[in-house]
Amino acid sequence: PDRRGTKAAAHFILDIPALGSSVIDVRLAPIDAASQPVLFDEVLARRRAEADEFYAAVQSKIPDADQRLAQRQAFAGMLWSKQYYGYDIRRWLQGDPLQPPPPRERQFGRNTDWGHLALGDPGKTSGGDIISMPDKWEYPWFASWDLGFHGVILSLIDPDFAKSQLMMLTQARVLHPNGQMPAYEWSFSDVNPPVMAWAAFRAYEIDCKLKGTADIVFLERIFHKLMLNFTWWVNREDRDGRNIFQGGFLGLDNVGPFNLKKELPGGAHLDQSDGTAWVATFALNMMRIALELSKTNHVFEDLATKFFEHFIYISEAIHATGGAGATGLWDDQDKFYYDVLRSPGKSDEVLRIRSVVGLAPLFATEILLQDFTEPLPHFADRMNWFVHHRPDLAKLVSNWREPNRQGYRLLSLLRRYRLSCVLARMLDEKEFLSDFGIRSLSKYHKDHPYRVHQGDETISVEYAPGEGTTRMYGGNSNWRGPIWLPINYLIIDALHKLHKFYGDEYKVECPTGSGIIMTLEGVALELTRRLQRLFAREPTGRRAYLGESKRQWEDPNFQDRLIFYEHFDGDNGRGLGASHQTGWTGLIALLFSAPD
């Protein structure tokens, strides 16, 4: 219609073959131009009121208005980053039948061994795949461990969509027949940390809390598929069958000295502290899911036992000392976990790089909330068997034999002594603890770069709090100092669990050397507060993630339009990487909610 007058009208005749060539006569009545803004404003006001009502319920326990603003914009970024995703590898390899054939090298290039993968299949009832992307602008393709975190975030506002996202990557048309989960479009065969079991159970718990009913069907379906993925890890990434895992790339880009997408020279390989910790965490997550399913189906009790035993044997391997092929990953000299370089004909070399690699064993922490003697006698018998027949293994794992006063049992790679040692480094402001969270590499390496020699080459790892100083993995990502939300969130999650077991009796110094003593719950809340400072509005109007960009924190058109960067400077909190990657940085939304 003509916006300038009141007499214009539109008249269409539509011939739609899909409707049996029916002819539809569509007439639009004239609209008074002056009334159009009123109609638009009314609709917008209605939608805004509905959104306000929804978020008022979601944010009812957040008293601070600025925190509500930040959380709501983080949620908005997650919802905005949904998009249709279509990638049928078989069709991509064959090419379009109406076009010239694709270049021959495509048949031997990346992802050619994933010919079964078909996302966006138009044959699906739903019409295709809508996927939560890390960033629709700069990063418009999924990554499996990103998507695991997305599922947990989205569970707070759209639990059904969140569960569908987690299920999607385990479907037969996506999961490799050998059980591998695709890493990301650039190379499905790369290896991302196995966080999907953790994400599935957290999404299940949040969904149950919101709806008041447990979605056992979802949990059982995803558990069966995740068993295939766990088997792949055990069979393919445990090079020597010692329960020490290599994993390869693991998504942490340049945190170490080597490009782990390539073979190391001379037949060398890396026993990875993070790879081993990730699988230990995976085993605990699977055990926890199996125990939950055992409440309604005792068949899962045997599987809970299987994953418990996996965890015990991984704990033995990561703490092994002495003997041929028995080098562990705990270093008694530095009281920290390190990777170990194993080269044929040479002594094992401990890579004394203080990074998130050494903090990853914290993630392998689980709290058991029940007495298994009566409801799960087989599982209880197997736990007791280890106590009596393998006390050498039983003593490696924290406090799972005896419950605390509240009836909690603790399974953790770190017994109390090792936990205290790791936390002392992690909470040291001269090492990992920043004003804005936990750094990915210790600041110790600013003045003490670590150097490793490979043939004629010397490789250096040094603290770089902001932009990366190496071109490894393209140079557009840096794990040598910046703060990453997913690692920080997993640390906080572990601390909350540890506090449930140890309670107020166990306290540590935070920051290290400050004389301030806190419970582990207090430490978790302190780390949460520091991460919130990235986005919190200061009295001047500045937000730390904006750095010194005065235009953004003084201009009212910018100051409350938050941007969720990929990661943050380890010294000043300035946003780095993709500038609107809500993605896993959206985890800040959970940190504005009260801990459950």
Side-chain angles (χ1 to χ4, degrees), residues 172-196:
R173 61 191 175 90
V174 180
L175 194 70
H176 198 281
N178 65 17
Q180 184 177 9
M181 191 170 290
Y184 42 72
E185 180 185 320
W186 184 252
S187 177
F188 288 141
S189 293
D190 278 351
V191 184
N192 276 181
V195 300
M196 201 59 67

PDB file of all heavy atoms in Angstrom, residues 172-196:
ATOM      1  N   ALA A 172      22.699 -40.999  14.560  1.00  0.00           N
ATOM      2  CA  ALA A 172      23.446 -41.864  13.641  1.00  0.00           C
ATOM      3  C   ALA A 172      23.924 -41.100  12.411  1.00  0.00           C
ATOM      4  O   ALA A 172      24.974 -41.428  11.845  1.00  0.00           O
ATOM      5  CB  ALA A 172      22.567 -43.043  13.223  1.00  0.00           C
ATOM      6  N   ARG A 173      23.195 -40.075  12.020  1.00  0.00           N
ATOM      7  CA  ARG A 173      23.609 -39.323  10.829  1.00  0.00           C
ATOM      8  C   ARG A 173      24.698 -38.302  11.129  1.00  0.00           C
ATOM      9  O   ARG A 173      25.142 -37.591  10.239  1.00  0.00           O
ATOM     10  CB  ARG A 173      22.400 -38.629  10.193  1.00  0.00           C
ATOM     11  CG  ARG A 173      21.723 -37.629  11.095  1.00  0.00           C
ATOM     12  CD  ARG A 173      20.379 -37.160  10.538  1.00  0.00           C
ATOM     13  NE  ARG A 173      19.701 -36.295  11.473  1.00  0.00           N
ATOM     14  CZ  ARG A 173      19.847 -34.979  11.489  1.00  0.00           C
ATOM     15  NH1 ARG A 173      20.639 -34.390  10.601  1.00  0.00           N
ATOM     16  NH2 ARG A 173      19.201 -34.251  12.369  1.00  0.00           N
ATOM     17  N   VAL A 174      25.122 -38.217  12.409  1.00  0.00           N
ATOM     18  CA  VAL A 174      26.175 -37.275  12.799  1.00  0.00           C
ATOM     19  C   VAL A 174      27.342 -38.002  13.468  1.00  0.00           C
ATOM     20  O   VAL A 174      28.487 -37.889  13.041  1.00  0.00           O
ATOM     21  CB  VAL A 174      25.627 -36.185  13.737  1.00  0.00           C
ATOM     22  CG1 VAL A 174      26.732 -35.218  14.143  1.00  0.00           C
ATOM     23  CG2 VAL A 174      24.483 -35.429  13.078  1.00  0.00           C
ATOM     24  N   LEU A 175      27.066 -38.760  14.523  1.00  0.00           N
ATOM     25  CA  LEU A 175      28.110 -39.502  15.222  1.00  0.00           C
ATOM     26  C   LEU A 175      28.752 -40.493  14.269  1.00  0.00           C
ATOM     27  O   LEU A 175      28.063 -41.209  13.540  1.00  0.00           O
ATOM     28  CB  LEU A 175      27.501 -40.238  16.416  1.00  0.00           C
ATOM     29  CG  LEU A 175      28.460 -40.802  17.458  1.00  0.00           C
ATOM     30  CD1 LEU A 175      29.120 -39.681  18.255  1.00  0.00           C
ATOM     31  CD2 LEU A 175      27.722 -41.738  18.418  1.00  0.00           C
ATOM     32  N   HIS A 176      30.086 -40.551  14.259  1.00  0.00           N
ATOM     33  CA  HIS A 176      30.777 -41.465  13.355  1.00  0.00           C
ATOM     34  C   HIS A 176      30.462 -42.907  13.734  1.00  0.00           C
ATOM     35  O   HIS A 176      30.268 -43.213  14.919  1.00  0.00           O
ATOM     36  CB  HIS A 176      32.288 -41.215  13.430  1.00  0.00           C
ATOM     37  CG  HIS A 176      33.045 -41.772  12.268  1.00  0.00           C
ATOM     38  ND1 HIS A 176      33.361 -43.109  12.163  1.00  0.00           N
ATOM     39  CD2 HIS A 176      33.553 -41.178  11.154  1.00  0.00           C
ATOM     40  CE1 HIS A 176      34.029 -43.316  11.046  1.00  0.00           C
ATOM     41  NE2 HIS A 176      34.165 -42.163  10.410  1.00  0.00           N
ATOM     42  N   PRO A 177      30.406 -43.834  12.757  1.00  0.00           N
ATOM     43  CA  PRO A 177      30.167 -45.236  13.101  1.00  0.00           C
ATOM     44  C   PRO A 177      31.137 -45.802  14.132  1.00  0.00           C
ATOM     45  O   PRO A 177      30.802 -46.728  14.868  1.00  0.00           O
ATOM     46  CB  PRO A 177      30.305 -45.961  11.756  1.00  0.00           C
ATOM     47  CG  PRO A 177      29.915 -44.933  10.737  1.00  0.00           C
ATOM     48  CD  PRO A 177      30.418 -43.633  11.294  1.00  0.00           C
ATOM     49  N   ASN A 178      32.352 -45.233  14.214  1.00  0.00           N
ATOM     50  CA  ASN A 178      33.307 -45.724  15.220  1.00  0.00           C
ATOM     51  C   ASN A 178      33.111 -45.069  16.592  1.00  0.00           C
ATOM     52  O   ASN A 178      33.820 -45.394  17.545  1.00  0.00           O
ATOM     53  CB  ASN A 178      34.755 -45.530  14.744  1.00  0.00           C
ATOM     54  CG  ASN A 178      35.155 -44.061  14.602  1.00  0.00           C
ATOM     55  OD1 ASN A 178      34.506 -43.164  15.132  1.00  0.00           O
ATOM     56  ND2 ASN A 178      36.237 -43.804  13.877  1.00  0.00           N
ATOM     57  N   GLY A 179      32.145 -44.152  16.685  1.00  0.00           N
ATOM     58  CA  GLY A 179      31.829 -43.522  17.959  1.00  0.00           C
ATOM     59  C   GLY A 179      32.398 -42.130  18.142  1.00  0.00           C
ATOM     60  O   GLY A 179      32.085 -41.469  19.141  1.00  0.00           O
ATOM     61  N   GLN A 180      33.224 -41.654  17.205  1.00  0.00           N
ATOM     62  CA  GLN A 180      33.788 -40.313  17.357  1.00  0.00           C
ATOM     63  C   GLN A 180      32.722 -39.254  17.120  1.00  0.00           C
ATOM     64  O   GLN A 180      31.869 -39.379  16.243  1.00  0.00           O
ATOM     65  CB  GLN A 180      34.947 -40.080  16.386  1.00  0.00           C
ATOM     66  CG  GLN A 180      35.626 -38.732  16.590  1.00  0.00           C
ATOM     67  CD  GLN A 180      36.834 -38.511  15.674  1.00  0.00           C
ATOM     68  OE1 GLN A 180      37.088 -39.291  14.765  1.00  0.00           O
ATOM     69  NE2 GLN A 180      37.577 -37.442  15.913  1.00  0.00           N
ATOM     70  N   MET A 181      32.789 -38.203  17.909  1.00  0.00           N
ATOM     71  CA  MET A 181      31.890 -37.065  17.751  1.00  0.00           C
ATOM     72  C   MET A 181      32.585 -36.019  16.883  1.00  0.00           C
ATOM     73  O   MET A 181      33.770 -35.747  17.071  1.00  0.00           O
ATOM     74  CB  MET A 181      31.537 -36.474  19.113  1.00  0.00           C
ATOM     75  CG  MET A 181      30.418 -35.451  19.088  1.00  0.00           C
ATOM     76  SD  MET A 181      29.879 -35.011  20.763  1.00  0.00           S
ATOM     77  CE  MET A 181      29.073 -36.543  21.259  1.00  0.00           C
ATOM     78  N   PRO A 182      31.905 -35.450  15.894  1.00  0.00           N
ATOM     79  CA  PRO A 182      32.570 -34.458  15.042  1.00  0.00           C
ATOM     80  C   PRO A 182      33.005 -33.247  15.863  1.00  0.00           C
ATOM     81  O   PRO A 182      32.253 -32.754  16.700  1.00  0.00           O
ATOM     82  CB  PRO A 182      31.494 -34.087  14.023  1.00  0.00           C
ATOM     83  CG  PRO A 182      30.202 -34.404  14.697  1.00  0.00           C
ATOM     84  CD  PRO A 182      30.482 -35.599  15.562  1.00  0.00           C
ATOM     85  N   ALA A 183      34.230 -32.784  15.588  1.00  0.00           N
ATOM     86  CA  ALA A 183      34.756 -31.661  16.370  1.00  0.00           C
ATOM     87  C   ALA A 183      34.146 -30.338  15.905  1.00  0.00           C
ATOM     88  O   ALA A 183      33.496 -29.635  16.671  1.00  0.00           O
ATOM     89  CB  ALA A 183      36.275 -31.611  16.261  1.00  0.00           C
ATOM     90  N   TYR A 184      34.341 -30.011  14.642  1.00  0.00           N
ATOM     91  CA  TYR A 184      33.814 -28.774  14.054  1.00  0.00           C
ATOM     92  C   TYR A 184      34.015 -28.888  12.563  1.00  0.00           C
ATOM     93  O   TYR A 184      34.767 -29.730  12.062  1.00  0.00           O
ATOM     94  CB  TYR A 184      34.521 -27.529  14.608  1.00  0.00           C
ATOM     95  CG  TYR A 184      36.013 -27.709  14.744  1.00  0.00           C
ATOM     96  CD1 TYR A 184      36.829 -27.755  13.632  1.00  0.00           C
ATOM     97  CD2 TYR A 184      36.595 -27.883  16.001  1.00  0.00           C
ATOM     98  CE1 TYR A 184      38.189 -27.947  13.741  1.00  0.00           C
ATOM     99  CE2 TYR A 184      37.946 -28.088  16.122  1.00  0.00           C
ATOM    100  CZ  TYR A 184      38.747 -28.123  14.990  1.00  0.00           C
ATOM    101  OH  TYR A 184      40.095 -28.344  15.105  1.00  0.00           O
ATOM    102  N   GLU A 185      33.345 -28.027  11.810  1.00  0.00           N
ATOM    103  CA  GLU A 185      33.317 -28.159  10.353  1.00  0.00           C
ATOM    104  C   GLU A 185      34.699 -28.172   9.721  1.00  0.00           C
ATOM    105  O   GLU A 185      34.945 -28.893   8.756  1.00  0.00           O
ATOM    106  CB  GLU A 185      32.478 -27.022   9.755  1.00  0.00           C
ATOM    107  CG  GLU A 185      32.374 -27.065   8.241  1.00  0.00           C
ATOM    108  CD  GLU A 185      31.632 -25.864   7.697  1.00  0.00           C
ATOM    109  OE1 GLU A 185      30.635 -25.460   8.318  1.00  0.00           O
ATOM    110  OE2 GLU A 185      32.064 -25.325   6.668  1.00  0.00           O
ATOM    111  N   TRP A 186      35.616 -27.377  10.256  1.00  0.00           N
ATOM    112  CA  TRP A 186      36.932 -27.280   9.619  1.00  0.00           C
ATOM    113  C   TRP A 186      37.622 -28.631   9.565  1.00  0.00           C
ATOM    114  O   TRP A 186      38.316 -28.944   8.612  1.00  0.00           O
ATOM    115  CB  TRP A 186      37.798 -26.260  10.354  1.00  0.00           C
ATOM    116  CG  TRP A 186      39.118 -26.056   9.681  1.00  0.00           C
ATOM    117  CD1 TRP A 186      40.338 -26.469  10.103  1.00  0.00           C
ATOM    118  CD2 TRP A 186      39.339 -25.413   8.413  1.00  0.00           C
ATOM    119  NE1 TRP A 186      41.313 -26.119   9.200  1.00  0.00           N
ATOM    120  CE2 TRP A 186      40.722 -25.463   8.147  1.00  0.00           C
ATOM    121  CE3 TRP A 186      38.498 -24.795   7.480  1.00  0.00           C
ATOM    122  CZ2 TRP A 186      41.292 -24.934   6.994  1.00  0.00           C
ATOM    123  CZ3 TRP A 186      39.070 -24.250   6.337  1.00  0.00           C
ATOM    124  CH2 TRP A 186      40.438 -24.324   6.115  1.00  0.00           C
ATOM    125  N   SER A 187      37.425 -29.436  10.590  1.00  0.00           N
ATOM    126  CA  SER A 187      37.980 -30.792  10.604  1.00  0.00           C
ATOM    127  C   SER A 187      37.211 -31.630  11.616  1.00  0.00           C
ATOM    128  O   SER A 187      37.478 -31.569  12.813  1.00  0.00           O
ATOM    129  CB  SER A 187      39.473 -30.786  10.953  1.00  0.00           C
ATOM    130  OG  SER A 187      39.974 -32.106  11.020  1.00  0.00           O
ATOM    131  N   PHE A 188      36.244 -32.390  11.135  1.00  0.00           N
ATOM    132  CA  PHE A 188      35.446 -33.213  12.033  1.00  0.00           C
ATOM    133  C   PHE A 188      36.296 -34.220  12.801  1.00  0.00           C
ATOM    134  O   PHE A 188      35.934 -34.645  13.894  1.00  0.00           O
ATOM    135  CB  PHE A 188      34.368 -33.951  11.248  1.00  0.00           C
ATOM    136  CG  PHE A 188      33.247 -33.070  10.770  1.00  0.00           C
ATOM    137  CD1 PHE A 188      32.679 -33.258   9.526  1.00  0.00           C
ATOM    138  CD2 PHE A 188      32.748 -32.054  11.571  1.00  0.00           C
ATOM    139  CE1 PHE A 188      31.641 -32.453   9.086  1.00  0.00           C
ATOM    140  CE2 PHE A 188      31.716 -31.239  11.148  1.00  0.00           C
ATOM    141  CZ  PHE A 188      31.156 -31.440   9.889  1.00  0.00           C
ATOM    142  N   SER A 189      37.432 -34.617  12.242  1.00  0.00           N
ATOM    143  CA  SER A 189      38.259 -35.650  12.862  1.00  0.00           C
ATOM    144  C   SER A 189      39.182 -35.108  13.948  1.00  0.00           C
ATOM    145  O   SER A 189      39.869 -35.897  14.601  1.00  0.00           O
ATOM    146  CB  SER A 189      39.091 -36.374  11.797  1.00  0.00           C
ATOM    147  OG  SER A 189      38.252 -37.121  10.935  1.00  0.00           O
ATOM    148  N   ASP A 190      39.233 -33.797  14.148  1.00  0.00           N
ATOM    149  CA  ASP A 190      39.952 -33.278  15.305  1.00  0.00           C
ATOM    150  C   ASP A 190      39.236 -33.733  16.581  1.00  0.00           C
ATOM    151  O   ASP A 190      38.109 -34.228  16.532  1.00  0.00           O
ATOM    152  CB  ASP A 190      40.031 -31.752  15.256  1.00  0.00           C
ATOM    153  CG  ASP A 190      41.162 -31.266  14.353  1.00  0.00           C
ATOM    154  OD1 ASP A 190      41.975 -32.100  13.916  1.00  0.00           O
ATOM    155  OD2 ASP A 190      41.229 -30.058  14.081  1.00  0.00           O
ATOM    156  N   VAL A 191      39.896 -33.550  17.703  1.00  0.00           N
ATOM    157  CA  VAL A 191      39.339 -34.054  18.962  1.00  0.00           C
ATOM    158  C   VAL A 191      39.068 -32.883  19.901  1.00  0.00           C
ATOM    159  O   VAL A 191      39.985 -32.174  20.295  1.00  0.00           O
ATOM    160  CB  VAL A 191      40.308 -35.045  19.639  1.00  0.00           C
ATOM    161  CG1 VAL A 191      39.671 -35.636  20.893  1.00  0.00           C
ATOM    162  CG2 VAL A 191      40.696 -36.166  18.664  1.00  0.00           C
ATOM    163  N   ASN A 192      37.793 -32.695  20.228  1.00  0.00           N
ATOM    164  CA  ASN A 192      37.398 -31.702  21.222  1.00  0.00           C
ATOM    165  C   ASN A 192      37.208 -32.375  22.575  1.00  0.00           C
ATOM    166  O   ASN A 192      36.921 -33.568  22.645  1.00  0.00           O
ATOM    167  CB  ASN A 192      36.093 -31.029  20.811  1.00  0.00           C
ATOM    168  CG  ASN A 192      36.280 -29.869  19.853  1.00  0.00           C
ATOM    169  OD1 ASN A 192      35.320 -29.231  19.458  1.00  0.00           O
ATOM    170  ND2 ASN A 192      37.512 -29.580  19.463  1.00  0.00           N
ATOM    171  N   PRO A 193      37.361 -31.646  23.665  1.00  0.00           N
ATOM    172  CA  PRO A 193      37.144 -32.242  24.989  1.00  0.00           C
ATOM    173  C   PRO A 193      35.749 -32.854  25.103  1.00  0.00           C
ATOM    174  O   PRO A 193      34.772 -32.272  24.644  1.00  0.00           O
ATOM    175  CB  PRO A 193      37.303 -31.051  25.936  1.00  0.00           C
ATOM    176  CG  PRO A 193      38.210 -30.121  25.216  1.00  0.00           C
ATOM    177  CD  PRO A 193      37.829 -30.242  23.772  1.00  0.00           C
ATOM    178  N   PRO A 194      35.640 -34.028  25.721  1.00  0.00           N
ATOM    179  CA  PRO A 194      34.346 -34.713  25.813  1.00  0.00           C
ATOM    180  C   PRO A 194      33.481 -34.167  26.952  1.00  0.00           C
ATOM    181  O   PRO A 194      33.405 -34.749  28.036  1.00  0.00           O
ATOM    182  CB  PRO A 194      34.752 -36.173  26.070  1.00  0.00           C
ATOM    183  CG  PRO A 194      36.047 -36.072  26.809  1.00  0.00           C
ATOM    184  CD  PRO A 194      36.744 -34.856  26.265  1.00  0.00           C
ATOM    185  N   VAL A 195      32.828 -33.050  26.697  1.00  0.00           N
ATOM    186  CA  VAL A 195      32.007 -32.417  27.738  1.00  0.00           C
ATOM    187  C   VAL A 195      30.520 -32.765  27.603  1.00  0.00           C
ATOM    188  O   VAL A 195      29.712 -32.330  28.425  1.00  0.00           O
ATOM    189  CB  VAL A 195      32.160 -30.873  27.704  1.00  0.00           C
ATOM    190  CG1 VAL A 195      33.598 -30.466  27.938  1.00  0.00           C
ATOM    191  CG2 VAL A 195      31.640 -30.304  26.382  1.00  0.00           C
ATOM    192  N   MET A 196      30.163 -33.559  26.584  1.00  0.00           N
ATOM    193  CA  MET A 196      28.752 -33.753  26.297  1.00  0.00           C
ATOM    194  C   MET A 196      28.017 -34.488  27.415  1.00  0.00           C
ATOM    195  O   MET A 196      26.848 -34.195  27.695  1.00  0.00           O
ATOM    196  CB  MET A 196      28.591 -34.510  24.968  1.00  0.00           C
ATOM    197  CG  MET A 196      27.246 -34.341  24.315  1.00  0.00           C
ATOM    198  SD  MET A 196      26.812 -32.617  23.926  1.00  0.00           S
ATOM    199  CE  MET A 196      28.000 -32.223  22.659  1.00  0.00           C
TER     200      MET A 196
END
